[in-house]
Amino acid sequence: MFDNKDKTEINDLGEFGLIAHLTKAVELTEPSTIKGIGDDAAVLDFSNKKTLISTDLLLEGIHFDLRYVPLKHLGYKAVQVNLSDIYAMNGKASQITFSIGLSSKFPLEAVEEIYEGALIACKKYNIDLIGGDTSASAQGLVISVTSIGHAEADKIAYRSGAKEGDLLCVSGDLGGAYVGLQLLEREKQIFLDNPQIQPDLEGKDYIVERQLKPEARMDVVELFEIYGIQPHAMIDVSDGLASEILHICNASKVGCKLYEDKIPIDPMTYDTAREFGLDPTVCALNGGEDYELLFTVPQEQYDKVKNQLDITIIGYITEEAAGCEMISKSGNVHPIKAQGWNAFKAGK
Amino acid sequence: MFDNKDKTEINDLGEFGLIAHLTKAVELTEPSTIKGIGDDAAVLDFSNKKTLISTDLLLEGIHFDLRYVPLKHLGYKAVQVNLSDIYAMNGKASQITFSIGLSSKFPLEAVEEIYEGALIACKKYNIDLIGGDTSASAQGLVISVTSIGHAEADKIAYRSGAKEGDLLCVSGDLGGAYVGLQLLEREKQIFLDNPQIQPDLEGKDYIVERQLKPEARMDVVELFEIYGIQPHAMIDVSDGLASEILHICNASKVGCKLYEDKIPIDPMTYDTAREFGLDPTVCALNGGEDYELLFTVPQEQYDKVKNQLDITIIGYITEEAAGCEMISKSGNVHPIKAQGWNAFKAGK
């Protein structure tokens, strides 16, 4: 990934030096940021809007494998994953804090790459980086991100707002990040067995990017604003469609019908899943890390969502007693079960 | 610290099970918390006040040594350390997120202890725990805390607000946490050399507590409110008095005079430092982790601060060109230098 010859030792800079060095490229552009990095706490002004907060921990060997995740992508993804939670509330993400724990194997240049990826994500999504913590780590790389956003009270979409009769919708397509991961894992194994063989990812850009460089769906939240769509309930797809549907149904005390043939799956995801002997539907249901938005809207908004190219209606909300079920392509009915990604079973 | 016989494996619960288990004791009492744990993001309402955010990373082997830090204390301290940053802005801390990364050596009971300590701190300081992340860790224990608070715009005390002529003040006493750490390190070494010997910390409760169970100074911020004291600048003493004074002076573009004989040092800190052959003043200047508040107030507020038992006036602010200097007990003048605690040199 990087060699340490001619690299700068972080020790030489010290903590304050490192922070000053890393944050010198940080610009504040969000009107709600009053004070960013450089005091005990950041100061934000959301005037009469509600404040939204979400946080994630990303740990080496659990959430990422540095043998195939480029550091810049890692910084980028760490931010995206977190912003996704703010968009999933139908909010505007505006700030993040970004903390890194670094083992001594990392030279300054490696940290710079992580940070650069994070700042590219911030710039693209108009996010101010307003704080964080930087520390040595006795073990692997640790990244902790907290994202902050805001929304008007009546715009916030909780998981618990779904109503019987609502349309169940999802943005983008599903399963790609999981299938991309299978591909990266396979190429890593081939490389470990024979380091002379270069990874063969040709023509697979889309699903590799879905895994390494996901994009949080700020654009979908903006589209809601433009078209006057108000989701009753919303969640982002981080653990797989099945798990997220159950979160909405449990929180809202409703059931649902999901149509397998409506689940949006990209042709490359489909074909590559098949190559691996995987069922593409199962990849979408249980794969995770797609960071699409799953939401429900009242039927009256059918006209507003049906023509959105990037939104698919995949089912509808029922009463709770009817349970959460998927109608398969062959017409069979299966209960939806969560087998989502489990950070306590991933890694080793 | 704990043995794993008859203990519950975290794997058996899964991530959602673990979160549900750990958070079942969480109560929300802060009026500003609209939605806590259980959605993509927490929702907070600070109406017309400013939002304050601060975050810290605590890593095993760098920030704590599980050979002498009880897990409950660790959870408690992780919260205190973070709240301290909000109080250092003269704000009211109201919420935290608490994330843990756990290696498989930890049984459920160990995590419960960390969490219990965190919740005790929350309860004592009227803080709502509103979110977090829980993950396996391929290596050591990782804790990440983000604290959230609020303040009226004109009450916020930045580092940059000190003015020439201001009184330089500090709450409580200094150096205790560092001397407490020396004591714990010595006893650990004795124990490692001969496990039959029990630690001898008798009569040293105060400084051991300063290290293991610090208290963020919410009470000082409340006292400011009661007595109408408005600090011009404020910071919490996490890296040692010298480092914090320089932060205020650099951010405010001022100098200062610090009187060594005014630095508040508890007799137990003083005597124990001497036992270790350490200069108590150096412990206060460079030791860190005291989590007291260092602040400046205009001279007109002298009458308001002079009779506060827990506040000591230790010097005054000068023009920038005069530099930052300490007048020693013998009357010599020394430039103040930061040799504060460096997370990149601590640990290994």
Side-chain angles (χ1 to χ4, degrees):
Chain A
M1 186 109 308
F2 47 81
D3 70 61
N4 284 13
K5 263 184 304 173
D6 308 318
K7 295 290 161 88
T8 313
E9 283 257 3
I10 289 172
N11 263 351
D12 300 342
L13 283 172
E15 182 176 358
F16 298 130
L18 177 62
I19 292 172
H21 178 82
L22 291 175
T23 59
K24 66 173 188 272
V26 170
E27 286 171 31
L28 302 180
T29 58
E30 253 296 308
S32 58
T33 308
I34 299 178
K35 173 76 191 177
I37 291 163
D39 216 302
D40 293 290
V43 181
L44 313 176
D45 180 4
F46 297 126
S47 51
N48 56 352
K49 292 183 179 163
K50 306 309 168 208
T51 303
L52 304 171
I53 307 261
S54 182
T55 193
D56 271 312
L57 207 53
L58 284 99
L59 304 176
E60 183 178 348
I62 303 290
H63 301 95
F64 54 88
D65 184 333
L66 289 179
R67 284 172 295 191
Y68 56 71
V69 176
L71 292 170
K72 204 187 285 183
H73 286 67
L74 182 60
Y76 189 88
K77 181 170 174 174
V79 173
Q80 295 295 343
V81 165
N82 231 266
L83 298 182
S84 183
D85 284 320
I86 301 296
Y87 301 133
M89 303 299 287
N90 202 29
K92 174 167 169 35
S94 43
Q95 288 89 5
I96 59 162
T97 67
F98 195 85
S99 298
I100 316 186
L102 297 154
S103 62
S104 55
K105 71 177 175 185
F106 289 95
L108 178 64
E109 288 74 9
V111 194
E112 284 174 341
E113 281 199 35
I114 298 172
Y115 230 80
E116 196 187 333
L119 288 178
I120 289 170
C122 286
K123 192 152 197 185
K124 186 163 172 187
Y125 286 71
N126 293 316
I127 304 297
D128 284 351
L129 194 153
I130 54 154
D133 197 2
T134 312
S135 169
S137 162
Q139 295 102 356
L141 177 61
V142 172
I143 298 178
S144 176
V145 184
T146 296
S147 55
I148 303 124
H150 53 277
E152 284 167 34
D154 59 355
K155 297 276 183 194
I156 296 174
Y158 294 94
R159 295 178 180 181
S160 57
K163 300 266 177 295
E164 194 182 334
D166 278 3
L167 303 171
L168 183 64
C169 310
V170 71
S171 65
D173 57 78
L174 300 173
Y178 180 77
V179 178
L181 180 64
Q182 304 314 307
L183 202 62
L184 288 163
E185 286 282 351
R186 183 185 70 188
E187 295 303 317
K188 178 184 79 176
Q189 207 47 56
I190 293 173
F191 178 79
L192 290 176
D193 293 345
N194 184 349
Q196 304 309 316
I197 301 178
Q198 285 302 301
D200 175 21
L201 301 169
E202 209 184 299
K204 302 289 192 185
D205 299 16
Y206 180 67
I207 56 174
V208 169
E209 282 222 346
R210 291 291 282 174
Q211 171 57 226
L212 293 182
K213 197 172 158 291
E215 299 288 337
R217 301 306 304 260
M218 175 175 75
D219 58 331
V220 172
V221 172
E222 289 172 348
L223 184 146
F224 289 162
E225 180 75 27
I226 294 166
Y227 289 91
I229 297 167
Q230 175 61 44
H232 271 170
M234 186 149 64
I235 190 170
D236 68 327
V237 182
S238 53
D239 293 321
L241 181 63
S243 173
E244 315 306 354
I245 287 179
L246 292 177
H247 277 310
I248 284 187
C249 289
N250 291 339
S252 302
K253 300 190 195 316
V254 294
C256 79
K257 294 281 178 283
L258 166 68
Y259 293 94
E260 183 187 4
D261 62 351
K262 302 289 185 198
I263 299 173
I265 296 177
D266 183 83
M268 190 188 296
T269 302
Y270 193 93
D271 294 343
T272 314
R274 286 295 186 204
E275 275 176 44
F276 278 94
L278 296 168
D279 179 342
T281 299
V282 173
C283 294
L285 286 172
N286 299 329
E289 294 207 272
D290 289 314
Y291 301 106
E292 295 296 340
L293 293 174
L294 174 74
F295 57 96
T296 81
V297 293
Q299 284 184 43
E300 306 84 78
Q301 301 203 345
Y302 173 71
D303 283 337
K304 289 183 183 173
V305 289
K306 77 171 179 352
N307 293 325
Q308 303 296 343
L309 285 176
D310 212 23
I311 291 177
T312 311
I313 301 170
I314 56 174
Y316 63 93
I317 299 298
T318 64
E319 58 170 348
E320 189 174 18
C324 296
E325 295 177 330
M326 182 175 80
I327 293 94
S328 76
K329 290 176 186 171
S330 55
N332 293 319
V333 176
H334 305 278
I336 297 172
K337 286 184 190 149
Q339 294 169 341
W341 195 78
N342 184 341
F344 284 100
K345 288 181 175 155
K348 60 218 80 175
Chain B
M1 188 109 307
F2 47 82
D3 70 61
N4 285 13
K5 264 185 304 173
D6 309 318
K7 294 291 161 84
T8 314
E9 283 256 5
I10 289 172
N11 262 351
D12 301 343
L13 283 172
E15 183 177 357
F16 298 129
L18 177 62
I19 292 172
H21 177 83
L22 291 175
T23 59
K24 66 173 188 272
V26 171
E27 286 171 30
L28 302 180
T29 58
E30 252 297 308
S32 57
T33 308
I34 300 178
K35 173 77 188 175
I37 292 162
D39 217 302
D40 293 290
V43 181
L44 312 176
D45 181 5
F46 296 127
S47 50
N48 56 352
K49 293 185 178 158
K50 306 308 167 210
T51 303
L52 305 171
I53 307 262
S54 182
T55 193
D56 271 313
L57 206 53
L58 285 99
L59 304 176
E60 184 177 347
I62 302 290
H63 300 96
F64 54 87
D65 184 333
L66 289 178
R67 285 173 293 191
Y68 56 71
V69 177
L71 292 170
K72 204 187 286 184
H73 286 68
L74 182 61
Y76 189 88
K77 181 170 175 174
V79 173
Q80 295 296 342
V81 165
N82 230 265
L83 298 182
S84 183
D85 284 319
I86 301 296
Y87 300 133
M89 303 298 288
N90 202 26
K92 176 170 167 32
S94 44
Q95 289 89 6
I96 59 160
T97 67
F98 195 86
S99 298
I100 315 186
L102 296 155
S103 62
S104 56
K105 72 177 174 185
F106 288 95
L108 177 63
E109 288 73 9
V111 194
E112 284 174 342
E113 281 199 37
I114 298 172
Y115 231 78
E116 196 187 333
L119 288 177
I120 290 170
C122 287
K123 193 153 194 181
K124 187 164 171 187
Y125 286 71
N126 294 316
I127 305 297
D128 283 352
L129 193 152
I130 54 153
D133 196 2
T134 312
S135 168
S137 160
Q139 295 103 356
L141 179 61
V142 172
I143 298 178
S144 175
V145 184
T146 297
S147 56
I148 303 123
H150 52 277
E152 284 166 34
D154 59 356
K155 298 277 183 193
I156 296 174
Y158 294 94
R159 294 179 180 180
S160 56
K163 301 265 178 295
E164 195 183 334
D166 277 3
L167 303 170
L168 182 66
C169 310
V170 72
S171 65
D173 56 76
L174 300 172
Y178 179 77
V179 177
L181 180 65
Q182 304 315 306
L183 201 62
L184 288 163
E185 287 281 353
R186 183 184 70 186
E187 295 303 318
K188 178 184 81 178
Q189 208 46 57
I190 293 172
F191 177 80
L192 290 176
D193 294 344
N194 184 349
Q196 305 308 316
I197 300 178
Q198 286 302 302
D200 177 21
L201 301 169
E202 211 184 297
K204 302 290 192 185
D205 299 17
Y206 179 68
I207 55 173
V208 169
E209 282 222 346
R210 292 291 283 174
Q211 171 57 227
L212 294 181
K213 198 173 156 290
E215 299 288 338
R217 299 307 304 261
M218 175 174 74
D219 58 332
V220 173
V221 172
E222 289 172 349
L223 185 145
F224 289 161
E225 180 74 28
I226 293 166
Y227 290 91
I229 297 168
Q230 176 60 46
H232 271 172
M234 186 149 64
I235 190 170
D236 68 327
V237 182
S238 54
D239 294 321
L241 180 62
S243 172
E244 315 306 355
I245 287 179
L246 293 178
H247 276 311
I248 285 187
C249 289
N250 290 339
S252 301
K253 301 191 195 315
V254 294
C256 79
K257 293 281 177 284
L258 166 69
Y259 292 94
E260 183 187 6
D261 64 350
K262 302 290 184 198
I263 299 173
I265 296 176
D266 183 83
M268 190 188 295
T269 302
Y270 192 94
D271 293 344
T272 314
R274 287 291 186 206
E275 275 177 44
F276 278 93
L278 297 168
D279 179 342
T281 299
V282 173
C283 295
L285 286 173
N286 300 329
E289 293 208 272
D290 289 316
Y291 300 107
E292 295 296 342
L293 294 175
L294 175 74
F295 57 97
T296 81
V297 292
Q299 284 184 42
E300 304 85 80
Q301 301 204 344
Y302 174 72
D303 283 338
K304 290 182 182 174
V305 289
K306 77 173 181 350
N307 293 324
Q308 303 297 342
L309 284 176
D310 213 22
I311 290 176
T312 311
I313 301 169
I314 56 174
Y316 62 94
I317 299 298
T318 64
E319 58 171 347
E320 190 175 18
C324 295
E325 295 177 330
M326 182 174 82
I327 292 96
S328 76
K329 289 176 187 172
S330 55
N332 293 319
V333 176
H334 305 278
I336 297 172
K337 287 185 189 148
Q339 295 170 340
W341 195 79
N342 184 341
F344 284 99
K345 288 181 176 155
K348 62 217 76 175

